[in-house]
Amino acid sequence: MNNRAQTTAPASRPNLRVLRVDASGRYEGSVTRQLTDEVIEALRSQTDPLHVSQRDVAQGVPFVDEAWIGANFTDDEARSEEQRKLLAYSDSLVQELKDADVLVIGVPIYNFGIPATLKAWIDMIVRVRLSFRYTEDGPVGLLTNKKAYVVVASGGVPVGSSMDFATPYLRQALGFVGITDVQIIAAERLNDQGETGIQAAHTQIAEILGKSSTPSHTQATA
């Protein structure tokens, strides 16, 4: 499995807008949060000013329910005030993505997949007529011309292996809404690789974003 740079970093330009999404249930010692910090700082070294918005889904995201589904599939002009209120949070999440040039997601692998709160975020942003539309040729994503860096940490799952259901799912979900330029940065198998796995992620960040890596000791927790 090769997580080396397959695409180029975004061109250096002023006023780059970054949306950072954190999903780890850990705060103290979280590998994904610390590596995501590093990605943000590497982007900041290339672009001045860099505008960063943060969405911490670990703090909770509503789950889709029957009322939400009904509101979502009601034509906008026919929605009641209550339905508009039900969709307001989802609308704001989609708008955050629309406003961003770059998406940086910190993703621990939990039980072979992504955290439930990150799945709930995806359910809130995959919205017909807002983030994708149907055409005669099938669905077409509307959130185009964006770059995504997905920072992944796993305890025992080799990233890109048949046991990894997180990164293929994220590529599919992001691609469905039009974000097809996705770079995976992996600190994998931390239970047995420890600092070696973390160092590999530092090296990937340095290679992908052209920034010298000066890692500090990081506890191996996703």
Side-chain angles (χ1 to χ4, degrees):
M1 188 276 298
N2 183 3
N3 286 314
R4 302 304 184 193
Q6 297 175 350
T7 55
T8 58
S12 179
R13 63 180 178 81
N15 299 315
L16 194 71
R17 299 166 298 178
V18 176
L19 174 61
R20 171 180 177 162
V21 178
D22 287 296
S24 177
R26 291 181 182 270
Y27 287 83
E28 186 67 29
S30 165
V31 168
T32 57
R33 291 179 186 274
Q34 292 183 33
L35 291 174
T36 299
D37 284 343
E38 188 174 333
V39 170
I40 296 294
E41 287 310 306
L43 290 169
R44 196 182 305 279
S45 72
Q46 299 176 354
T47 305
D48 184 28
L50 186 75
H51 302 284
V52 181
S53 299
Q54 185 169 3
R55 175 64 60 177
D56 190 343
V57 299
Q59 296 180 358
V61 175
F63 292 124
V64 166
D65 59 15
E66 185 175 15
W68 189 95
I69 293 170
N72 186 43
F73 286 98
T74 300
D75 288 340
D76 183 64
E77 60 274 12
R79 285 174 186 150
S80 67
E81 187 60 30
E82 183 60 30
Q83 287 177 319
R84 293 182 189 281
K85 289 179 181 178
L86 283 171
L87 295 175
Y89 180 74
S90 172
D91 291 343
S92 69
L93 297 184
V94 175
Q95 191 60 52
E96 285 179 343
L97 273 173
K98 286 182 176 181
D99 290 343
D101 303 302
V102 177
L103 177 63
V104 181
I105 309 178
V107 189
I109 294 181
Y110 291 163
N111 301 315
F112 313 106
I114 65 174
T117 52
L118 185 59
K119 174 60 166 63
W121 177 80
I122 289 170
D123 289 341
M124 288 283 152
I125 63 94
V126 179
R127 292 275 305 279
V128 66
R129 297 184 295 274
L130 288 185
S131 58
F132 77 97
R133 63 185 175 89
Y134 290 112
T135 73
E136 293 181 354
D137 298 319
V140 174
L142 300 177
L143 306 181
T144 56
N145 300 316
K146 300 179 189 299
K147 170 77 179 181
Y149 297 97
V150 178
V151 181
V152 183
S154 75
V157 173
V159 174
S161 72
S162 61
M163 293 185 289
D164 171 17
F165 294 92
T167 58
Y169 173 75
L170 288 170
R171 284 189 184 277
Q172 172 64 33
L174 293 173
F176 189 78
V177 297
I179 304 173
T180 57
D181 188 356
V182 178
Q183 178 72 57
I184 305 296
I185 297 167
E188 58 186 331
R189 298 171 54 204
L190 298 180
N191 290 346
D192 58 288
Q193 292 199 114
E195 285 295 321
T196 301
I198 294 168
Q199 180 58 53
H202 288 307
T203 300
Q204 290 169 54
I205 293 170
E207 291 178 351
I208 292 164
L209 290 165
K211 180 177 172 60
S212 298
S213 180
T214 54
S216 58
H217 178 75
T218 306
Q219 183 181 358
T221 54

